[in-house]
Amino acid sequence: MKSVLVCGAGGFIGGHLVRRLKREGYWVRGVDLKKHEFAETEADDFVIGDLRDQSLVREVVDRKFDEIYQLAADMGGAGYIFTGDNDADVMHNSATINLNVLDAAYKRNCKRIFYSSSACMYPAYNQEDPDNPNCREDSAYPAAPDSEYGWEKLFSERLYLSYNRNHGMESRVARYHNIFGPQGTWDGGKEKAPAALCRKIARAKSGDSIEIWGDGEQTRSFLYVDECLEGTIRLTRSDFTGPVNVGSEEMVTINQLAMMIADVAGKKIELEHIPGPLGVRGRNSENTLISERLGWSPSQPLRTGLENTYEWIERQVKANAPAAA
Ligand code: NAD
Ligand code: GDD
């Protein structure tokens, strides 16, 4: 039986990935600082441990895994990575994880390793026009990400590509564009816009207003988690190193996103624009390369993924509501 290691298996994408790999018949070891918050893991072996600790990493990478997926990172949405308050932790924690995991994989001869980079590594100067952002893979340099999170991703991309060139590692690097879906962080400060807006709308009554950071005219695209897994697995098993975008090209403003969720919820919602951490003004995935190299593109519109996600977050909101007196 083929064996796989999923680093960050207690997180959002890692949790979904473990489930999919089990369905495919793999033996799966997961590792994370914590258990998954919203579901029992399906991993055959789940190690609670800190991937910043080199000796722990060497214990976890104890065999020649057929595939390693490195998803562990100190990360969050705009409210976490654009305030500046978490910069030192984000850079130190995520870079240390990547240095440890990649080197342990190399030393155990685990050749095939996937790394989850981010669209946040693209230069800010190409993402100022909300209608025409440029996130083509070859627009990455001269580098000028707008966050330390993005700089760490860029450093780690280069690390994986260096091990590919110098040590023959079959590194595979994807640049994820805002992934969303059920069983992701939806409260507490690390949630991204789709989950935050689903939560706010689930808590609102028809006719209420919800708060939106900024004027809401900033643009993004959002990719449903199942689509992300398909792109991730295809890339990992291909002969293409990347880096390559894994995202949706269905760009919307944050105001449009909010209105789409309100429509899914069947509520009339007003928007109140308030100051908040914003990030780049416009961002959209550019999928020419991935569609040429892997024949992949998202199969469903944004709204379909939002329907599943809203339903799940609405259930969390109801389950967590204070009991009526
Ligand atoms: P997540 O925060 O849900 O999962 C990351 C997991 O890593 C968490 O469970 C966390 O506990 C774990 N982790 C952090 N530090 C660790 C450590 N020292 N040792 C062991 N585990 C540790 O995030 P996610 O949304 O599942 O993202 C997965 C990966 O994809 C991350 O690398 C992230 O940067 C990248 N990414 C995600 C998105 C997105 O929109 N979700 C976009 C771009 C890139
Ligand atoms: N999180 C959040 N919560 N964002 C809001 C809210 C809110 O209540 N209201 C408006 N926004 C706006 C933010 O100000 C930002 O301009 C936009 O919605 C998108 O915010 P996020 O979804 O939090 O993050 P992002 O798209 O800027 O960056 C995310 O995607 C990257 C990959 O594309 C982050 O998750 C990064 O970690 C990730 O790498």
Side-chain angles (χ1 to χ4, degrees):
M1 190 188 272
K2 286 192 171 181
S3 62
V4 176
L5 176 67
V6 177
C7 302
F12 166 50
I13 301 171
H16 284 278
L17 180 61
V18 167
R19 199 168 311 120
R20 164 135 183 194
L21 292 167
K22 283 308 300 169
R23 273 211 317 275
E24 291 183 359
Y26 285 79
W27 186 90
V28 180
R29 171 174 291 160
V31 55
D32 202 295
L33 278 177
K34 57 167 180 66
K35 280 169 57 176
H36 199 291
E37 229 178 306
F38 308 114
E40 281 299 315
T41 184
E42 291 180 28
D44 298 275
D45 182 31
F46 192 93
V47 179
I48 304 275
D50 190 338
L51 294 165
R52 290 168 301 184
D53 174 353
Q54 199 176 46
S55 55
L56 177 281
V57 174
R58 286 186 182 152
E59 279 169 35
V60 165
V61 187
D62 64 351
R63 68 195 71 188
K64 190 175 178 307
F65 286 100
D66 294 286
E67 295 169 4
I68 296 181
Y69 294 86
Q70 201 319 73
L71 300 161
D74 190 349
M75 74 87 74
Y80 188 69
I81 58 173
F82 298 133
T83 61
D85 298 343
N86 306 302
D87 289 349
D89 283 348
V90 164
M91 293 198 90
H92 175 266
N93 294 341
S94 297
T96 308
I97 294 168
N98 283 312
L99 289 161
N100 284 344
V101 172
L102 183 54
D103 201 57
Y106 164 56
K107 289 185 172 136
R108 283 276 180 206
N109 205 21
C110 307
K111 292 265 186 221
R112 196 159 287 262
I113 185 161
F114 170 86
Y115 173 57
S116 50
S117 182
S118 164
C120 285
M121 49 61 62
Y122 282 113
Y125 57 76
N126 279 335
Q127 300 174 85
E128 287 167 2
D129 176 357
D131 298 321
N132 281 303
N134 176 10
C135 293
R136 273 175 57 99
E137 287 83 352
D138 60 8
S139 72
Y141 297 95
D146 73 331
S147 65
E148 300 304 350
Y149 170 79
W151 278 105
E152 189 282 326
K153 288 294 188 191
L154 202 54
F155 162 77
S156 290
E157 281 191 3
R158 300 187 69 97
L159 181 70
Y160 283 79
L161 298 177
S162 300
Y163 272 65
N164 170 257
R165 288 193 308 275
N166 296 160
H167 294 321
M169 294 290 286
E170 295 288 350
S171 309
R172 302 288 179 261
V173 179
R175 294 172 177 162
Y176 286 165
H177 287 247
N178 212 319
I179 315 301
F180 74 102
Q183 300 185 354
T185 305
W186 59 278
D187 204 1
K190 287 189 169 182
E191 66 280 8
K192 289 164 279 124
L197 301 187
C198 284
R199 181 197 71 229
K200 291 178 188 187
I201 290 171
R203 284 185 178 151
K205 296 189 298 298
S206 213
D208 282 356
S209 64
I210 61 156
E211 292 181 343
I212 300 279
W213 298 341
D215 65 5
E217 293 302 311
Q218 62 270 47
T219 52
R220 294 289 187 278
S221 69
F222 303 96
L223 182 71
Y224 190 64
V225 63
D226 290 352
E227 314 261 24
C228 168
L229 297 186
E230 182 60 32
T232 297
I233 286 173
R234 275 201 211 184
L235 175 63
T236 304
R237 295 175 188 166
S238 76
D239 60 2
F240 181 41
T241 305
V244 67
N245 290 329
V246 172
S248 158
E249 291 183 322
E250 187 181 341
M251 187 172 79
V252 292
T253 67
I254 299 301
N255 289 334
Q256 287 167 337
L257 175 70
M259 284 306 150
M260 202 182 281
I261 298 170
D263 195 52
V264 165
K267 296 182 185 180
K268 189 179 168 318
I269 294 291
E270 304 290 331
L271 304 182
E272 182 190 352
H273 296 103
I274 62 163
L278 300 176
V280 293
R281 187 68 176 152
R283 174 173 292 152
N284 194 13
S285 188
E286 217 287 1
N287 289 351
T288 310
L289 186 60
I290 193 161
S291 94
E292 279 172 9
R293 295 302 299 259
L294 303 178
W296 177 90
S297 58
S299 62
Q300 291 184 320
L302 171 62
R303 187 180 166 109
T304 306
L306 287 176
E307 286 168 0
N308 297 340
T309 308
Y310 181 79
E311 191 206 316
W312 182 81
I313 291 181
E314 189 184 39
R315 269 192 277 126
Q316 309 310 305
V317 165
K318 283 184 181 152
N320 286 276

Short mmCIF file of all heavy atoms in Angstrom, two decimals, residues 8 10-14 31-34 49-52 71-75 97 116-119 149 153 176-179 185 192, ligand 1:
data_model
loop_
_atom_site.label_atom_id
_atom_site.label_comp_id
_atom_site.label_asym_id
_atom_site.label_seq_id
_atom_site.Cartn_x
_atom_site.Cartn_y
_atom_site.Cartn_z
N GLY A 8 0.20 19.35 8.57
CA GLY A 8 -0.90 20.31 8.67
C GLY A 8 -2.24 19.60 8.53
O GLY A 8 -3.24 20.19 8.12
N GLY A 10 -4.29 18.64 10.69
CA GLY A 10 -5.34 19.10 11.61
C GLY A 10 -5.96 20.42 11.14
O GLY A 10 -6.83 20.98 11.80
N GLY A 11 -5.52 20.90 9.98
CA GLY A 11 -6.04 22.17 9.47
C GLY A 11 -7.13 21.95 8.42
O GLY A 11 -7.57 20.83 8.17
N PHE A 12 -7.53 23.05 7.82
CA PHE A 12 -8.65 23.06 6.87
C PHE A 12 -8.37 22.18 5.64
O PHE A 12 -9.01 21.14 5.42
CB PHE A 12 -8.94 24.52 6.50
CG PHE A 12 -9.83 24.73 5.32
CD1 PHE A 12 -11.05 24.07 5.21
CD2 PHE A 12 -9.45 25.61 4.31
CE1 PHE A 12 -11.88 24.28 4.10
CE2 PHE A 12 -10.27 25.83 3.21
CZ PHE A 12 -11.48 25.16 3.10
N ILE A 13 -7.38 22.58 4.83
CA ILE A 13 -7.13 21.84 3.58
C ILE A 13 -6.55 20.46 3.90
O ILE A 13 -6.94 19.46 3.29
CB ILE A 13 -6.19 22.65 2.65
CG1 ILE A 13 -6.81 24.02 2.34
CG2 ILE A 13 -5.92 21.87 1.35
CD1 ILE A 13 -5.88 24.99 1.61
N GLY A 14 -5.67 20.39 4.89
CA GLY A 14 -5.06 19.12 5.28
C GLY A 14 -6.10 18.10 5.71
O GLY A 14 -6.00 16.91 5.36
N VAL A 31 0.19 14.93 10.58
CA VAL A 31 0.88 15.56 11.72
C VAL A 31 0.43 17.00 11.83
O VAL A 31 0.19 17.68 10.83
CB VAL A 31 2.42 15.42 11.58
CG1 VAL A 31 2.92 15.96 10.29
CG2 VAL A 31 3.14 16.10 12.74
N ASP A 32 0.25 17.44 13.06
CA ASP A 32 -0.19 18.82 13.30
C ASP A 32 0.03 19.15 14.77
O ASP A 32 0.17 18.26 15.60
CB ASP A 32 -1.70 18.97 12.96
CG ASP A 32 -2.08 20.42 12.66
OD1 ASP A 32 -2.00 21.26 13.57
OD2 ASP A 32 -2.47 20.70 11.51
N LEU A 33 0.04 20.44 15.05
CA LEU A 33 0.13 20.91 16.45
C LEU A 33 -1.10 20.50 17.24
O LEU A 33 -1.05 20.41 18.47
CB LEU A 33 0.16 22.45 16.47
CG LEU A 33 1.47 23.18 16.23
CD1 LEU A 33 1.20 24.68 16.23
CD2 LEU A 33 2.49 22.82 17.30
N LYS A 34 -2.21 20.32 16.52
CA LYS A 34 -3.50 20.08 17.20
C LYS A 34 -4.34 19.09 16.40
O LYS A 34 -4.12 18.91 15.19
CB LYS A 34 -4.26 21.40 17.32
CG LYS A 34 -4.48 22.05 15.95
CD LYS A 34 -5.48 23.17 16.01
CE LYS A 34 -5.73 23.83 14.68
NZ LYS A 34 -6.37 23.03 13.64
N GLY A 49 2.29 17.07 17.09
CA GLY A 49 3.69 17.45 17.29
C GLY A 49 4.00 18.76 16.58
O GLY A 49 3.24 19.22 15.72
N ASP A 50 5.14 19.34 16.95
CA ASP A 50 5.54 20.65 16.45
C ASP A 50 6.61 20.48 15.36
O ASP A 50 7.73 20.04 15.66
CB ASP A 50 6.07 21.48 17.63
CG ASP A 50 6.29 22.93 17.24
OD1 ASP A 50 6.45 23.22 16.03
OD2 ASP A 50 6.31 23.77 18.16
N LEU A 51 6.25 20.84 14.15
CA LEU A 51 7.17 20.66 13.02
C LEU A 51 8.32 21.67 13.03
O LEU A 51 9.21 21.60 12.18
CB LEU A 51 6.40 20.72 11.69
CG LEU A 51 5.41 19.57 11.46
CD1 LEU A 51 4.43 19.89 10.33
CD2 LEU A 51 6.15 18.26 11.15
N ARG A 52 8.32 22.59 13.99
CA ARG A 52 9.49 23.45 14.16
C ARG A 52 10.61 22.70 14.88
O ARG A 52 11.75 23.15 14.92
CB ARG A 52 9.13 24.71 14.98
CG ARG A 52 8.24 25.68 14.22
CD ARG A 52 7.68 26.73 15.14
NE ARG A 52 6.89 26.13 16.21
CZ ARG A 52 6.21 26.80 17.13
NH1 ARG A 52 6.22 28.12 17.11
NH2 ARG A 52 5.53 26.17 18.06
N LEU A 71 1.52 21.27 4.15
CA LEU A 71 0.49 22.32 4.26
C LEU A 71 0.59 23.08 5.58
O LEU A 71 -0.14 24.07 5.77
CB LEU A 71 -0.91 21.68 4.17
CG LEU A 71 -1.22 20.92 2.88
CD1 LEU A 71 -2.38 19.97 3.08
CD2 LEU A 71 -1.53 21.89 1.75
N ALA A 72 1.46 22.65 6.48
CA ALA A 72 1.52 23.30 7.79
C ALA A 72 2.11 24.70 7.65
O ALA A 72 3.12 24.90 6.98
CB ALA A 72 2.36 22.47 8.76
N ALA A 73 1.47 25.68 8.28
CA ALA A 73 1.96 27.06 8.23
C ALA A 73 1.27 27.86 9.32
O ALA A 73 0.19 27.48 9.80
CB ALA A 73 1.66 27.68 6.87
N ASP A 74 1.91 28.94 9.68
CA ASP A 74 1.28 29.91 10.60
C ASP A 74 0.55 30.90 9.70
O ASP A 74 1.18 31.76 9.09
CB ASP A 74 2.38 30.59 11.42
CG ASP A 74 1.80 31.41 12.55
OD1 ASP A 74 0.57 31.61 12.58
OD2 ASP A 74 2.59 31.85 13.41
N MET A 75 -0.76 30.73 9.55
CA MET A 75 -1.46 31.53 8.54
C MET A 75 -2.86 31.94 8.98
O MET A 75 -3.39 31.41 9.95
CB MET A 75 -1.52 30.77 7.20
CG MET A 75 -2.50 29.61 7.12
SD MET A 75 -4.16 30.13 6.64
CE MET A 75 -3.98 30.48 4.90
N ILE A 97 9.36 25.34 9.73
CA ILE A 97 8.65 24.11 9.32
C ILE A 97 9.17 23.65 7.95
O ILE A 97 9.51 22.48 7.76
CB ILE A 97 7.13 24.36 9.25
CG1 ILE A 97 6.55 24.65 10.64
CG2 ILE A 97 6.42 23.16 8.60
CD1 ILE A 97 5.11 25.18 10.61
N SER A 116 2.51 24.08 -0.47
CA SER A 116 1.40 25.02 -0.67
C SER A 116 1.89 26.45 -0.48
O SER A 116 1.93 26.97 0.63
CB SER A 116 0.29 24.71 0.33
OG SER A 116 0.81 24.61 1.65
N SER A 117 2.24 27.09 -1.60
CA SER A 117 2.55 28.52 -1.57
C SER A 117 1.24 29.30 -1.71
O SER A 117 0.15 28.71 -1.63
CB SER A 117 3.53 28.88 -2.68
OG SER A 117 3.86 30.25 -2.64
N SER A 118 1.35 30.59 -1.87
CA SER A 118 0.15 31.44 -1.87
C SER A 118 0.24 32.55 -2.91
O SER A 118 1.34 33.04 -3.21
CB SER A 118 0.01 32.09 -0.49
OG SER A 118 -0.89 33.16 -0.55
N ALA A 119 -0.93 32.98 -3.38
CA ALA A 119 -1.00 34.16 -4.27
C ALA A 119 -0.46 35.40 -3.57
O ALA A 119 -0.15 36.40 -4.25
CB ALA A 119 -2.44 34.39 -4.69
N TYR A 149 4.03 37.37 5.29
CA TYR A 149 3.51 36.05 4.93
C TYR A 149 3.87 35.72 3.48
O TYR A 149 4.33 34.62 3.16
CB TYR A 149 1.99 36.04 5.16
CG TYR A 149 1.25 34.84 4.63
CD1 TYR A 149 1.22 33.63 5.31
CD2 TYR A 149 0.52 34.92 3.43
CE1 TYR A 149 0.51 32.53 4.82
CE2 TYR A 149 -0.20 33.84 2.94
CZ TYR A 149 -0.19 32.65 3.63
OH TYR A 149 -0.90 31.58 3.15
N LYS A 153 6.48 32.84 1.88
CA LYS A 153 6.06 31.89 0.84
C LYS A 153 7.07 31.91 -0.32
O LYS A 153 7.42 30.87 -0.87
CB LYS A 153 4.66 32.23 0.34
CG LYS A 153 3.54 31.91 1.34
CD LYS A 153 3.40 30.44 1.60
CE LYS A 153 2.19 30.08 2.43
NZ LYS A 153 2.20 28.68 2.89
N TYR A 176 -1.78 28.81 -4.08
CA TYR A 176 -3.21 28.79 -3.82
C TYR A 176 -3.79 30.21 -3.80
O TYR A 176 -3.19 31.13 -3.23
CB TYR A 176 -3.49 28.17 -2.45
CG TYR A 176 -3.34 26.68 -2.31
CD1 TYR A 176 -3.27 26.10 -1.04
CD2 TYR A 176 -3.29 25.83 -3.41
CE1 TYR A 176 -3.14 24.72 -0.88
CE2 TYR A 176 -3.17 24.45 -3.25
CZ TYR A 176 -3.09 23.91 -1.98
OH TYR A 176 -2.97 22.54 -1.82
N HIS A 177 -5.00 30.32 -4.37
CA HIS A 177 -5.74 31.59 -4.32
C HIS A 177 -6.98 31.40 -3.45
O HIS A 177 -7.91 30.71 -3.84
CB HIS A 177 -6.18 32.02 -5.72
CG HIS A 177 -5.07 32.51 -6.58
ND1 HIS A 177 -4.98 33.83 -7.00
CD2 HIS A 177 -3.99 31.87 -7.10
CE1 HIS A 177 -3.89 33.97 -7.75
NE2 HIS A 177 -3.28 32.80 -7.84
N ASN A 178 -6.98 31.94 -2.29
CA ASN A 178 -8.09 31.98 -1.32
C ASN A 178 -9.04 30.78 -1.42
O ASN A 178 -10.04 30.80 -2.13
CB ASN A 178 -8.87 33.30 -1.47
CG ASN A 178 -9.44 33.73 -0.12
OD1 ASN A 178 -9.93 32.89 0.65
ND2 ASN A 178 -9.40 35.02 0.18
N ILE A 179 -8.72 29.75 -0.66
CA ILE A 179 -9.47 28.49 -0.67
C ILE A 179 -10.54 28.54 0.43
O ILE A 179 -10.26 28.99 1.55
CB ILE A 179 -8.52 27.29 -0.39
CG1 ILE A 179 -7.22 27.41 -1.20
CG2 ILE A 179 -9.24 25.97 -0.64
CD1 ILE A 179 -7.38 27.47 -2.71
N THR A 185 -11.66 27.53 9.27
CA THR A 185 -11.80 28.50 10.35
C THR A 185 -12.88 29.53 9.98
O THR A 185 -12.82 30.12 8.90
CB THR A 185 -10.45 29.22 10.58
OG1 THR A 185 -9.48 28.21 10.81
CG2 THR A 185 -10.51 30.17 11.75
N LYS A 192 -11.02 33.79 6.70
CA LYS A 192 -10.94 34.61 5.50
C LYS A 192 -12.32 35.14 5.13
O LYS A 192 -13.32 34.76 5.75
CB LYS A 192 -10.33 33.78 4.37
CG LYS A 192 -8.85 33.54 4.62
CD LYS A 192 -8.28 32.44 3.77
CE LYS A 192 -8.60 31.11 4.37
NZ LYS A 192 -9.30 30.22 3.47
P1 NAD B 1 -4.89 25.99 8.36
O1 NAD B 1 -4.39 27.05 9.28
O2 NAD B 1 -6.28 25.50 8.53
O3 NAD B 1 -3.92 24.71 8.41
C1 NAD B 1 -2.55 24.82 8.71
C2 NAD B 1 -2.25 23.82 9.82
O4 NAD B 1 -0.84 23.88 10.12
C3 NAD B 1 -2.99 24.13 11.13
O5 NAD B 1 -3.81 23.05 11.52
C4 NAD B 1 -1.88 24.37 12.12
O6 NAD B 1 -2.15 23.88 13.45
C5 NAD B 1 -0.72 23.61 11.49
N1 NAD B 1 0.56 24.07 12.02
C6 NAD B 1 0.96 25.38 12.17
N2 NAD B 1 2.17 25.40 12.75
C7 NAD B 1 2.53 24.11 12.97
C8 NAD B 1 3.68 23.51 13.56
N3 NAD B 1 4.68 24.25 14.05
N4 NAD B 1 3.72 22.16 13.63
C9 NAD B 1 2.68 21.40 13.17
N5 NAD B 1 1.58 21.92 12.60
C10 NAD B 1 1.51 23.27 12.50
O7 NAD B 1 -4.64 26.53 6.88
P2 NAD B 1 -5.16 25.98 5.48
O8 NAD B 1 -6.15 26.94 4.98
O9 NAD B 1 -5.50 24.54 5.58
O10 NAD B 1 -3.84 26.17 4.60
C11 NAD B 1 -2.95 25.10 4.33
C12 NAD B 1 -1.73 25.64 3.58
O11 NAD B 1 -2.15 26.29 2.38
C13 NAD B 1 -0.92 26.69 4.35
O12 NAD B 1 0.44 26.51 4.06
C14 NAD B 1 -1.40 28.00 3.78
O13 NAD B 1 -0.45 29.03 3.92
C15 NAD B 1 -1.61 27.61 2.33
N6 NAD B 1 -2.57 28.51 1.68
C16 NAD B 1 -3.88 28.48 2.06
C17 NAD B 1 -4.78 29.37 1.46
C18 NAD B 1 -6.23 29.39 1.85
O14 NAD B 1 -6.95 30.23 1.32
N7 NAD B 1 -6.69 28.51 2.74
C19 NAD B 1 -4.34 30.25 0.47
C20 NAD B 1 -2.99 30.25 0.13
C21 NAD B 1 -2.11 29.36 0.73
#
